């Protein structure tokens, strides 16, 4: 039985201590293999060996004080994220009006002396109103702090909720006790007139809760924005498709009922419902949300289409090739979710700090209280107020958001640019790589034969010769035949009627084209008539005598497919020849130079011959390369390079390069067409565009800079704020505002990663 992956949406987590607490609770369940909890998107990704364990996980999460929902599909994931934002907003607004009333009723008499008379006249009513309003805030919008912290304490666990609950709860209890005692409600001999504003701290309790809830709402809005990329991808998944059920009859069916080989119809402006192959019609399709390529692609019969891409003006029928949960888009969403829930090494350091941070803060707050109360002349209220300030300013919200918000934003931005990062470890490592090792075929080169020269030397014109040859080859699936047919199509030459097509493996094709017998293939199988022999000898003599060469000298007549010559014979007359080779990608040299400018060395590994490898290496200015390397030997070469203190990124096509991709520090697969890169690669480049690699390096380095800045701000608030609170220089309300501001600063800084990668 294989492993099962579950995703839970969790409500109630507020800081990195919460993350550690939830992770430890889930990890303690028998059958859990791995767990990663993400504060920024309030989720837990759990890998288990038991496919019936999700109820136990759900119960465990709820038992320690959090609400959880099992996410079974992408729509529920988006709904849970929206729900978290709505809940955070409601809690804040529910606390806003009562907290504002408590604040102004307490502050105005101090700020504006004329209000003091009014307060003295109605002080009983005002103070009791403050108590009722604060109690309302604690019971309703602020209840989450107290219920979660109580459940945590029952399990000997503390987190940010504990700090807020103890701080605000202490202010409320102290104020209420003072009201009951000094106000004369318990000791009737005392007169309520002896109660002053300095004896009551309801505003500290209510306003701190309101400010913390404001911070959470702002965090939720910002983190919701940081996950825009995956939400946009989820929105690309259509819910219905126009399925062909008769000759000219279609029915709108839910996507879960669409199966491979179903014929679907796509109208102008609609989203392509699933992966498939066009069987009728044509259009121009925008695939930018899938692979980051900005220009629409023209699609005709037999072309592949990608589910989630956007159809433009045309309409077409296509045959579905994948179920809705197995499309390229579904794979992209799964990969992005996996990356966003993973943790880079720097996050694990922050988690370790968080696990001891809250207990230390509680000890500091306790020490602050005892110092002020027993070693200074201040009263109980002032001592308690300073301790509350320590608890509030130290809330580690920003610490918990510093890394995951950056990872979510960065991986989402990468996905929008056609770069799929499977885990945050790879995101961190790629910026530290100092040697990029490239496969040749399909990575640095096109990977398919291209016509580099063509000649005609028979009785027909060049255009006629090529049309006859392509007409014969159009029924063949051989790569050389496809290259010739595409060459003729690009020149807009006509195709003739073809019959009696016959393909001989390793030889060529024969067909009757426009009533002429045509052979296209190897030289060895040409007609051995005297006329043909005479022309072949003339060609050879011309080459040997130093005359103008018909083909570049490196191409031999018995060359392998990547550098081949095919001959054209029409009605027994040698009429032409076409040279083909796999050519270097047009922007390869420019991109490699950019990678070098970013501080990296370049190397190339290929299974091709030395001559072929040397040609590409010279063209691209690659100093280090190895040729005739078998797939299993590539991994040995990469391991050898790693022993030279090199941090290696292996870039290949994700198939024959799998061993090397697996052993490299970072494996990058160039995924072309609708193929998803192999599981051995940590990063996939959709469409195989080399220009995405410099973007990836820049994004990684920017992300790590942002994470370091976030952690700096998260810690600097505490480093400065806690001593100020200990010294009695920080009011609890100011501490609450500063704490909320620190979280907003961290998340806002992470959102800068949404900008253009090159900026």
């Amino acid at each position: 039985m294989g492993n099962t992956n579950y995703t839970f949406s969790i409500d109630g987590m507020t800081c990195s201590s919460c993350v550690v607490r939830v992770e430890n609770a889930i990890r303690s369940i028998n059958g859990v293999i791995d767990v990663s909890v993400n504060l920024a998107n309030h989720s837990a990704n759990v890998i288990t060996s038991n496919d019936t364990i999700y109820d136990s996980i759900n119960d465990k999460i709820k038992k320690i004080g959090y609400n959880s929902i099992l996410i079974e599909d992408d729509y529920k994931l988006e709904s849970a994220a929206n729900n978290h934002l709505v809940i955070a907003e409601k809690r804040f607004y529910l606390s806003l009006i009562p907290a504002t009333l408590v604040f102004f009723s307490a502050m105005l008499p101090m700020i504006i002396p004329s209000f003091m008379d009014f307060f003295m006249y109605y002080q009983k009513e005002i103070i009791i109103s403050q108590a009722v309003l604060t109690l309302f805030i604690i019971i309703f919008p602020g209840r989450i702090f107290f219920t979660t912290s109580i459940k945590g304490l029952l399990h000997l666990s503390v987190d940010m909720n504990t700090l807020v609950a103890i701080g605000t709860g202490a202010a409320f209890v102290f104020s209420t006790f003072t009201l009951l005692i000094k106000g004369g409600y318990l000791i009737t001999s005392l007169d309520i007139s002896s109660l002053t504003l300095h004896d009551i701290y309801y505003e500290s309790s209510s306003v701190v809760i309101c400010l913390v809830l404001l911070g959470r709402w702002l965090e939720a809005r910002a983190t919701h924005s940081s996950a825009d990329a995956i939400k946009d991808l989820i929105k690309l998944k259509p819910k219905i498709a126009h399925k062909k059920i008769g000759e000219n009859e279609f029915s709108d069916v839910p996507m879960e009922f669409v199966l491979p080989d179903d014929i679907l119809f796509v109208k102008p402006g609609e989203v392509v419902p699933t992966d498939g192959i066009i069987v009728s019609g044509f259009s121009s399709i925008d695939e930018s949300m899938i692979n980051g390529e900005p220009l629409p692609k023209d699609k005709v019969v037999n072309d592949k289409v990608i589910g989630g891409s956007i159809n433009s003006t045309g309409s077409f029928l296509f045959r579905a090739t994948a179920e809705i949960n197995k499309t390229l888009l579904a794979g992209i969403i799964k990969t992005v979710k996996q990356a966003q829930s993973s943790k880079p090494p720097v996050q694990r350091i922050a988690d370790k700090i968080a696990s001891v941070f809250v207990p230390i803060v509680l000890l500091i707050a306790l020490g602050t209280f005892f110092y002020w109360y027993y070693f200074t002349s201040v009263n109980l209220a002032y001592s308690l107020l300073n301790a509350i300030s320590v608890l509030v300013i130290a809330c580690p919200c920003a610490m918990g958001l510093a890394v995951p918000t950056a990872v979510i934003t960065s991986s989402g931005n990468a996905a929008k640019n056609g770069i799929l990062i499977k885990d945050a470890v790879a995101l961190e490592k790629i910026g530290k790589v100092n040697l990029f090792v490239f496969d040749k075929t399909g990575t640095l080169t096109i990977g398919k034969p291209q016509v580099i020269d063509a000649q005609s030397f028979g009785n027909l014109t060049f255009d006629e010769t090529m049309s006859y040859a392509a007409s014969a080859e159009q029924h063949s699936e051989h790569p050389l035949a496809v290259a010739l047919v595409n060459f003729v199509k690009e020149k807009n030459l006509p195709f003739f009627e073809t019959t009696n097509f016959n393909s001989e493996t390793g030889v060529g094709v024969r067909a009757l084209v426009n009533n002429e017998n045509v052979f296209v293939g190897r030289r060895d199988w040409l007609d051995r008539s005297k006329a043909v022999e005479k022309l072949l000898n003339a060609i050879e003599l011309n080459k040997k005598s130093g005359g103008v060469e018909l083909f570049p000298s490196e191409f031999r007549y018995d060359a392998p497919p990547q550098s081949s010559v095919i001959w054209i014979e029409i009605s027994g007359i040698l009429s032409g020849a076409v040279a083909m080779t796999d050519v270097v990608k047009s922007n390869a040299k420019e991109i490699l130079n950019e990678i070098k400018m970013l501080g990296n060395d370049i190397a190339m590994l290929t299974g091709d011959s030395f001559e072929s490898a040397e040609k590409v290496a010279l063209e691209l200015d690659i100093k280090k390369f190895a040729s005739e390397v078998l797939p299993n030997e590539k991994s040995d070469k990469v391991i050898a390079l790693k022993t030279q203190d090199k941090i290696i990124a292996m870039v290949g096509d994700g198939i024959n390069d799998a061993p090397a991709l697996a052993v490299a520090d970072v494996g990058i697969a160039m995924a072309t067409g609708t193929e998803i890169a192999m599981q051995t690669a940590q990063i996939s480049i959709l469409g195989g565009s080399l220009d995405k690699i410099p973007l990836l390096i820049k994004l990684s380095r920017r992300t790590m800079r942002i994470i370091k800045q976030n952690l700096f701000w998260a810690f600097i608030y505490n480093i400065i704020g806690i001593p100020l609170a200990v010294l009695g220089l920080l009011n609890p309300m100011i501490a609450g505002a500063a704490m909320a501001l620190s979280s907003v600063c961290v998340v806002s800084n992470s959102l800068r990663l949404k900008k253009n990668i090159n900026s």
Side-chain angles (χ1 to χ4, degrees):
M1 184 181 295
N3 296 335
T4 305
N5 194 308
Y6 293 111
T7 300
F8 292 87
S9 175
I10 303 175
D11 181 45
M13 294 193 303
T14 54
C15 65
S16 49
S17 296
C18 298
V19 171
V20 174
R21 181 176 164 194
V22 173
E23 283 188 348
N24 290 339
I26 297 175
R27 196 172 279 115
S28 67
I29 300 173
N30 187 32
V32 171
I33 298 173
D34 191 25
V35 56
S36 179
V37 177
N38 191 308
L39 176 63
N41 59 17
H42 297 268
S43 69
N45 189 61
V46 187
I47 301 173
T48 76
S49 58
N50 185 341
D51 60 4
T52 61
I53 203 174
Y54 59 87
D55 282 335
S56 299
I57 297 171
N58 217 13
D59 291 342
K60 191 74 171 183
I61 293 171
K62 290 180 180 178
K63 188 176 180 180
I64 61 172
Y66 303 94
N67 297 316
S68 64
I69 303 172
L70 177 64
I71 302 298
E72 298 173 300
D73 58 52
D74 296 323
Y75 297 110
K76 285 188 177 180
L77 177 68
E78 185 181 9
S79 176
N82 292 333
N83 187 52
H84 175 75
L85 178 60
V86 170
I87 290 173
E89 183 178 10
K90 284 182 177 178
R91 285 173 179 161
F92 165 64
Y93 279 119
L94 198 59
S95 70
L96 180 60
I97 294 177
T100 302
L101 291 173
V102 172
F103 176 78
F104 280 108
S105 67
M107 293 295 110
L108 282 179
M110 298 180 184
I111 300 171
I112 306 174
S114 59
F115 275 90
M116 183 59 74
D117 294 337
F118 178 82
F119 173 80
M120 294 303 296
Y121 188 77
Y122 292 105
Q123 64 175 330
K124 178 180 178 180
E125 291 81 0
I126 291 174
I127 292 175
I128 292 175
S129 297
Q130 288 180 355
V132 172
L133 291 170
T134 303
L135 184 61
F136 170 84
I137 293 173
I138 289 173
I139 292 175
F140 295 103
R143 181 176 61 222
I144 184 68
F145 300 114
F146 297 89
T147 56
T148 305
S149 61
I150 290 170
K151 289 181 180 179
L153 289 172
L154 292 174
H155 293 83
L156 301 178
S157 176
V158 292
D159 55 26
M160 176 201 158
N161 295 293
T162 311
L163 301 182
V164 175
I166 291 176
T168 58
F172 176 80
V173 170
F174 175 81
S175 299
T176 303
F177 185 76
T178 303
L179 175 62
L180 294 174
I181 298 296
K182 201 171 183 179
Y185 290 95
L186 291 183
I187 303 176
T188 55
S189 60
L190 294 177
D191 188 353
I192 194 171
S193 61
S194 65
L195 194 63
T196 69
L197 288 170
H198 300 289
D199 298 314
I200 299 296
Y201 296 99
Y202 287 122
E203 76 281 358
S204 293
S205 180
S206 59
V207 173
V208 165
I209 290 176
C210 182
L211 287 172
V212 174
L213 292 176
L214 170 62
R216 289 194 181 180
W217 176 46
L218 294 175
E219 291 165 15
R221 288 182 60 184
T223 52
H224 196 260
S225 178
S226 70
D228 279 347
I230 194 167
K231 288 183 290 185
D232 290 341
L233 288 170
I234 292 171
K235 288 176 183 177
L236 287 176
K237 295 177 67 174
K239 295 183 179 180
I240 63 165
H242 311 304
K243 181 178 177 179
K244 187 176 182 180
I245 57 175
E247 185 62 30
N248 291 304
E249 189 177 357
F250 297 87
S251 176
D252 289 349
V253 298
M255 280 305 304
E256 52 266 31
F257 296 111
V258 173
L259 300 174
D261 293 327
D262 284 346
I263 302 299
L264 307 176
F265 179 61
V266 182
K267 301 176 184 178
E270 289 187 334
V271 174
V272 179
T274 187
D275 297 349
I277 298 175
I278 295 179
V279 296
S280 175
F282 60 90
S283 186
S284 181
I285 298 180
D286 179 4
E287 298 178 347
S288 59
M289 277 299 295
I290 306 298
N291 57 24
E293 298 297 332
L295 298 177
K297 292 185 177 180
D298 293 332
K299 301 282 185 175
V300 296
V301 173
N302 292 328
D303 282 345
K304 295 179 180 179
V305 292
I306 303 173
S309 56
I310 301 174
N311 185 31
S312 296
T313 55
S315 58
F316 58 89
L317 292 173
F318 76 98
R319 178 174 56 82
T321 57
E323 298 175 13
I324 186 63
N325 61 342
K326 295 181 180 179
T327 63
L328 175 65
L329 177 60
I332 292 173
I333 292 172
K334 180 180 178 181
T335 300
V336 176
K337 284 167 57 181
Q338 179 180 327
Q340 293 186 345
S341 63
S342 63
K343 296 183 179 184
V346 67
Q347 173 68 69
R348 302 188 188 278
I349 296 171
D351 287 347
K352 288 180 181 178
I353 295 172
S355 64
V356 298
F357 182 79
V358 174
I360 290 174
V361 169
L362 287 172
L363 290 175
I364 293 173
L366 191 62
T368 300
F369 172 77
F370 281 112
Y371 167 76
W372 283 101
Y373 187 68
Y374 288 105
F375 298 100
T376 69
S377 58
V378 301
N379 59 18
L380 174 65
Y382 190 79
S383 303
L384 185 62
L385 207 62
N386 290 336
I388 292 170
S389 296
V390 171
L391 294 172
V392 175
I393 191 63
C395 291
C397 306
M399 194 188 307
L401 294 167
V403 179
T405 51
V407 170
I408 287 176
T409 309
S410 182
S411 57
N413 193 3
K416 282 188 173 182
N417 284 275
I419 304 169
L420 294 186
I421 302 171
K422 293 187 177 181
D423 62 68
V425 175
L427 177 62
E428 180 175 341
K429 277 187 177 180
I430 194 66
K432 299 176 181 178
V433 166
N434 51 29
L435 175 61
F436 279 81
V437 180
F438 287 86
D439 170 51
K440 181 179 77 69
T441 306
T443 301
L444 295 174
T445 66
I446 298 296
K448 297 178 181 178
Q450 305 285 310
V451 173
I452 58 169
D453 194 9
Q455 299 284 339
S456 66
F457 28 78
N459 298 327
L460 301 176
T461 65
F462 174 84
D463 288 356
E464 290 172 332
T465 301
M466 295 302 123
S467 287
Y468 271 97
S471 297
E473 290 277 34
Q474 65 181 323
H475 300 292
S476 172
E477 296 181 354
H478 192 281
L480 298 180
V482 173
L484 177 58
V485 170
N486 289 338
F487 173 72
V488 170
K489 284 181 178 180
E490 289 171 3
K491 289 186 171 295
N492 293 318
L493 300 179
F495 284 78
F496 301 129
E497 181 182 352
T498 301
T499 58
N500 298 339
F501 172 81
N502 182 37
S503 176
E504 300 176 58
T505 303
V507 176
V509 301
R510 299 182 186 277
L512 188 64
V513 179
N514 205 19
N515 295 320
E516 301 281 355
N517 288 310
V518 177
F519 169 78
V520 184
R522 291 174 54 182
R523 174 182 176 177
D524 298 346
W525 295 86
L526 291 170
D527 184 351
R528 288 304 174 182
S529 67
K530 289 184 178 180
V532 171
E533 286 290 344
K534 183 177 179 181
L535 183 52
L536 288 174
N537 290 336
I539 293 171
E540 289 296 325
L541 181 63
N542 185 49
K543 290 170 67 66
K544 292 177 181 178
S545 64
V548 178
E549 294 184 359
L550 181 63
F551 303 112
S553 59
E554 63 266 36
F555 297 115
R556 306 184 307 274
Y557 298 135
D558 59 345
Q562 69 266 20
S563 52
S564 300
V565 176
I566 58 174
W567 297 85
I568 304 167
E569 183 182 272
I570 302 175
S571 295
I573 299 174
L574 183 60
S575 301
V578 180
M580 304 180 193
T581 187
D582 182 15
V583 298
V584 168
K585 291 180 179 179
S586 60
N587 63 345
K589 187 170 185 178
E590 176 187 350
I591 297 303
L592 292 188
N593 286 338
E594 187 175 355
I595 293 173
K596 291 176 185 177
M597 290 178 65
L598 290 169
N600 301 282
D601 291 332
I602 303 293
M604 181 178 72
L605 296 177
T606 178
D608 289 344
S609 65
F610 175 82
E611 292 81 4
S612 178
E614 184 182 41
K615 177 180 179 295
V616 172
L618 288 172
E619 186 173 348
L620 297 179
D621 191 26
I622 298 174
K623 307 299 183 185
K624 304 173 184 176
F625 70 91
S627 60
E628 300 180 11
V629 182
L630 297 175
N632 61 312
E633 295 174 339
K634 285 186 178 181
S635 59
D636 296 334
K637 296 284 187 183
V638 172
I639 292 171
L641 289 169
K642 289 174 72 174
T643 62
Q644 302 174 16
D645 294 327
K646 295 289 187 180
I647 302 175
I648 309 292
M650 177 67 199
V651 186
D653 61 12
I655 301 173
N656 61 338
D657 299 306
L661 290 169
V663 300
D665 293 291
V666 181
I668 303 175
M670 309 298 283
T672 57
T674 59
E675 298 175 359
I676 297 178
M678 296 185 67
Q679 294 299 317
T680 48
Q682 296 155 292
I683 298 174
S684 300
I685 307 292
L686 298 181
S689 301
L690 285 172
D691 56 1
K692 303 294 175 62
I693 296 178
L695 294 182
L696 177 61
I697 299 169
K698 294 174 185 177
L699 181 63
S700 170
R701 293 176 181 176
R702 279 188 62 201
T703 302
M704 292 315 299
R705 284 200 303 271
I706 292 291
I707 286 174
K708 289 174 183 176
Q709 291 167 7
N710 286 351
L711 289 173
F712 169 79
W713 285 112
F715 284 113
I716 202 69
Y717 269 92
N718 289 316
I719 291 171
I720 295 174
I722 292 176
L724 290 176
V726 171
L727 295 173
L729 302 175
L730 203 61
N731 182 277
M733 289 183 290
I734 298 175
M739 185 274 294
L741 181 62
S742 68
S743 298
V744 174
C745 286
V746 162
V747 179
S748 300
N749 192 42
S750 295
L751 290 178
R752 294 197 296 128
L753 288 165
K754 292 182 71 175
K755 296 179 181 178
N756 189 295
I757 295 176
N758 279 311
S759 62

